[in-house]
Amino acid sequence: IGSVLSKKAFFDRCKYADITPRFALDPSAAKALNAKLVCRASDKGKDGEGITIWEGDTPLPPAVLYVEFQPKTAEYRVHVGRTKDGESVLIGHQRKFKKGGGDIWAGESCYFVWTVDGLPVVLPQAVKDVALKTLALFEEVTFAGLDIIYDANTSKAFVLEANSAPMMTPKTVEWFATFFNSYYPVQE
């Protein structure tokens, strides 16, 4: 699962699928993107650890991965799985909400929810498409929690990372139990 845990390896694997923002691995290539950048100082960081936003008015910080900043109106955690037959399926999804402002939605400052005002979170088709396309690229992965951003103004979605051990709650455990019981039943 190293291809999922390493941010660089993940982006490299996805680079020709048009499912991630543009990115660079070195400062000169990053500057050539001519864009606001999300700079990741850690290749295996979690909860937004080591992320800074660079807008070009200060020196470019050292980072292992520079990702073109994309506007978003929503962020989702999409749980996906692969059946024994190799089919990619959606297991469940959540929408991310955060306390406070800023461009980074990560860590303890945000929440993943299943409902908003008593209504289920509706997953845009572009997010579903990116989720299934992403899992299809990682044939060695049976399941993952994908972090996908979405901009309702452009109807574009981009995957930012895959989590091999996505945050488990009673609801996500229920989803995964249903998935594994349906596609990987215990043989007696």
Side-chain angles (χ1 to χ4, degrees):
I1 61 171
S3 57
V4 171
L5 299 179
S6 163
K7 308 294 188 225
K8 291 188 316 186
F10 179 80
F11 267 76
D12 189 56
R13 188 94 162 258
C14 295
K15 70 182 168 189
Y16 298 114
D18 195 30
I19 57 176
T20 60
R22 295 183 311 157
F23 69 97
L25 300 177
D26 66 78
S28 59
K31 286 181 183 176
L33 292 175
N34 198 27
K36 182 178 181 179
L37 299 173
V38 177
C39 306
R40 291 182 168 270
S42 173
D43 188 40
K44 294 184 173 83
K46 63 182 181 101
D47 293 336
E49 140 190 307
I51 291 179
T52 57
I53 304 293
W54 180 79
E55 296 195 52
D57 52 353
T58 60
L60 187 63
V64 296
L65 180 65
Y66 300 93
V67 179
E68 181 180 41
F69 179 87
Q70 292 293 322
K72 63 184 172 187
T73 55
E75 185 169 342
Y76 299 91
R77 168 73 50 86
V78 183
H79 301 272
V80 290
R82 180 179 321 286
T83 69
K84 285 182 180 181
D85 298 329
E87 178 187 1
S88 298
V89 297
L90 298 173
I91 295 173
H93 62 275
Q94 301 158 283
R95 183 165 175 190
K96 190 184 260 190
F97 284 89
K98 67 176 177 170
K99 301 185 255 182
D103 288 330
I104 301 171
W105 298 8
E108 295 178 13
S109 65
C110 68
Y111 304 94
F112 284 103
V113 299
W114 299 272
T115 62
V116 178
D117 296 330
L119 301 172
V121 170
V122 176
L123 199 60
Q125 187 62 47
V127 175
K128 292 178 189 177
D129 294 344
V130 165
L132 295 174
K133 203 173 191 182
T134 301
L135 188 63
L137 293 173
F138 294 86
E139 294 176 358
E140 70 277 18
V141 175
T142 304
F143 67 92
L146 304 174
D147 290 348
I148 300 175
I149 58 172
Y150 175 73
D151 184 5
N153 300 309
T154 62
S155 298
K156 287 197 96 49
F158 293 102
V159 63
L160 300 180
E161 68 180 359
N163 300 282
S164 61
M167 178 176 50
M168 297 311 258
T169 65
K171 186 68 173 173
T172 56
V173 168
E174 177 186 322
W175 287 340
F176 278 97
T178 299
F179 167 75
F180 282 108
N181 286 330
S182 296
Y183 295 106
Y184 296 89
V186 176
Q187 302 294 323
E188 294 183 31

